[in-house]
Amino acid sequence: MIDLNRTRQARIPLRVFSLLAFAAFISVLNVDKILCLAGSGDSTNQVALSQPLTVKWRYDSDQTTDLTPATDRNRVYLPLIGGSIVCLNANNGQLHWKSDEGGAISASPAVDERSVYVATQPENTIDAQYRGALRALSKETGVTIWMRTLQAPLRGGLVAGSEAIFGGATDGRVQAFDKRTGRTLWANQYSSPFSSQPQLSGDRLYLGAEDGMLLAVDQKSGQVAWRYRTHGPVRGPVAITNGIVYFGSGDGYVYAFSESRAHLLWRRRTGAGIQAVAAVESGLLVASLDNFVYFFSLNGGHHMWRQQLPGRIASQPATARDGALFTPLSSDSAIVLGLTNGKPVNTLPVGEDNSRSASPIIVAHLVLITTPRGLLAFAGPKKPD
């Protein structure tokens, strides 16, 4: 016989447990929301790009390059002409240290919890085709922890995983280096040089080549999981969401490739070579050298809108929930496009004739833009206490 009183009594802790579980779930959602708002350079950060943004601080230098700075959210590591890296406080722009490596920095740097990774090449253009170096610098002091000489310089960008630092070189090699020692973990030789920004997702490394090949490589072994050839160079980073890899090519097409089924889902043509793609919650942003930004649906690649900008778009956009920030070349303003219809919703003055193709980055509540005259940090209105 069932004891109803005992059953009722048993329900009380069950209800309490349910309420506690629900409260915990809501807390997790709030934490996730906070974590999302704290993101950098994607659709989840603390910056509302459509609000008025003014310069909070600037680092003046006429030695900036086209390479995108690295950041660990607390500091910014800005590459300069002549092989120098400067470490700046992200909150106020104060110089923390400067390291002079000599030669020229050949790829956008990368940073992790311990080190800043810097690839260099000789300034002599003939020698630069055949020699390079990779260094790990202390985040705290800028002092070299280790250095590796390379047969050819790494180009495009570096990316740091949990155990290794990855890059592609001008001699067609893709290499993985131990982050602690600089020892080569594996090296793959291909027929075409690399000058792209590599990206990590899960256990794979994604890297595009000048011959139009996109490679998906196992990070630990270097074994190729799949490859797909386009008809133009693949230079920008891929965008990955829901098991689909989106990437652009110099042939003017944007591609969507299924990871699980290992085949092409769709491709869509733009008016010129594609420099960048960025996935946001509502679709896929595509920056083309025809000066247009295109917006496609993630599923099916349906064309949603396009918007012309006043100059070539040679860099990756920075995105937030309310818009995407682009820095067209030969323009005096960075432009924020709304994600709903592509209409401009904000502009950020960056000085006359911007000629830098370094990508803007978002660090918590700041938007950082590299210009020919230094690094600008924009922030929104200060919230009342």
Side-chain angles (χ1 to χ4, degrees):
M1 181 180 294
I2 300 175
D3 188 337
L4 295 180
N5 289 329
R6 182 176 298 174
T7 301
R8 292 191 186 98
Q9 292 172 0
R11 287 175 181 168
I12 293 175
L14 179 60
R15 289 173 181 169
V16 173
F17 176 80
S18 299
L19 289 173
L20 291 174
F22 180 74
F25 176 69
I26 294 299
S27 297
V28 169
L29 288 181
N30 288 334
V31 170
D32 285 344
K33 184 177 181 181
I34 293 172
L35 290 175
C36 285
L37 290 175
S40 172
D42 55 30
S43 60
T44 55
N45 53 61
Q46 295 179 7
V47 175
L49 291 174
S50 59
Q51 71 177 338
L53 298 171
T54 57
V55 176
K56 180 178 180 181
W57 58 260
R58 68 178 70 226
Y59 177 78
D60 293 323
S61 174
D62 60 359
Q63 302 295 304
T64 58
T65 71
D66 291 330
L67 301 174
T68 302
T71 179
D72 59 5
R73 299 181 185 274
N74 296 315
R75 295 169 184 166
V76 180
Y77 306 91
L78 177 68
L80 298 178
I81 293 172
S84 297
I85 288 276
V86 293
C87 172
L88 308 173
N89 184 302
N91 188 55
N92 56 27
Q94 292 298 309
L95 179 66
H96 188 57
W97 52 256
K98 180 178 181 181
S99 178
D100 296 310
E101 312 310 325
I105 298 177
S106 60
S108 296
V111 63
D112 62 13
E113 67 283 352
R114 177 172 174 259
S115 305
V116 186
Y117 302 94
V118 181
T120 59
Q121 67 183 37
E123 287 190 352
N124 183 296
T125 55
I126 297 177
D127 291 341
Q129 298 178 24
Y130 304 106
R131 292 190 290 122
L134 177 65
R135 291 175 173 85
L137 309 180
S138 166
K139 280 175 44 173
E140 295 302 318
T141 64
V143 173
T144 298
I145 299 172
W146 54 255
M147 184 190 76
R148 280 294 312 276
T149 55
L150 308 174
Q151 293 184 8
L154 302 173
R155 288 281 171 83
L158 305 175
V159 64
S162 59
E163 299 177 358
I165 184 82
F166 304 90
T170 57
D171 63 354
R173 289 190 180 192
V174 176
Q175 300 174 79
F177 305 92
D178 188 305
K179 294 200 303 182
R180 298 166 300 173
T181 64
R183 179 176 63 90
T184 300
L185 299 176
W186 54 260
N188 294 350
Q189 181 68 59
Y190 299 97
S191 59
S192 176
F194 292 86
S195 60
S196 63
Q197 175 61 52
Q199 187 128 339
L200 302 179
S201 180
D203 59 356
R204 290 181 179 172
L205 164 72
Y206 298 87
L207 190 67
E210 289 295 295
D211 65 355
M213 185 76 74
L214 180 71
L215 298 166
V217 180
D218 183 90
Q219 292 183 38
K220 290 188 176 181
S221 66
Q223 183 176 355
V224 175
W226 56 264
R227 68 183 74 195
Y228 187 85
R229 184 179 295 278
T230 70
H231 297 286
V234 178
R235 292 173 178 160
V238 303
I240 305 171
T241 182
N242 296 326
I244 300 176
V245 181
Y246 303 92
F247 59 98
S249 170
D251 62 11
Y253 283 93
V254 57
Y255 298 83
F257 194 92
S258 170
E259 280 277 70
S260 59
R261 298 164 63 186
H263 78 269
L264 188 69
L265 296 176
W266 54 261
R267 70 172 187 169
R268 297 293 180 267
R269 185 170 181 80
T270 68
I274 294 173
Q275 288 296 99
V277 299
V280 295
E281 186 176 353
S282 54
L284 185 72
L285 289 158
V286 178
S288 174
L289 290 178
D290 63 0
N291 297 10
F292 277 90
V293 176
Y294 297 79
F295 196 67
F296 298 97
S297 65
L298 294 173
N299 295 322
H302 304 294
H303 183 263
M304 310 294 286
W305 53 258
R306 73 171 186 167
Q307 178 66 44
Q308 187 175 17
L309 294 185
R312 283 201 163 192
I313 311 161
S315 62
Q316 191 77 7
T319 63
R321 293 187 183 278
D322 62 336
L325 174 69
F326 295 86
T327 51
L329 297 178
S330 303
S331 173
D332 60 1
S333 297
I335 299 173
V336 178
L337 301 182
L339 298 179
T340 303
N341 54 19
K343 300 300 182 182
V345 296
N346 202 0
T347 58
L348 281 65
V350 296
E352 295 182 359
D353 296 328
N354 179 42
S355 60
R356 291 289 176 260
S357 57
S359 298
I361 57 177
I362 294 177
V363 184
H365 62 288
L366 295 174
V367 178
L368 304 181
I369 299 177
T370 304
T371 77
R373 285 161 290 281
L375 186 67
L376 297 177
F378 291 85
K382 185 177 180 180
K383 295 182 179 180
D385 296 330

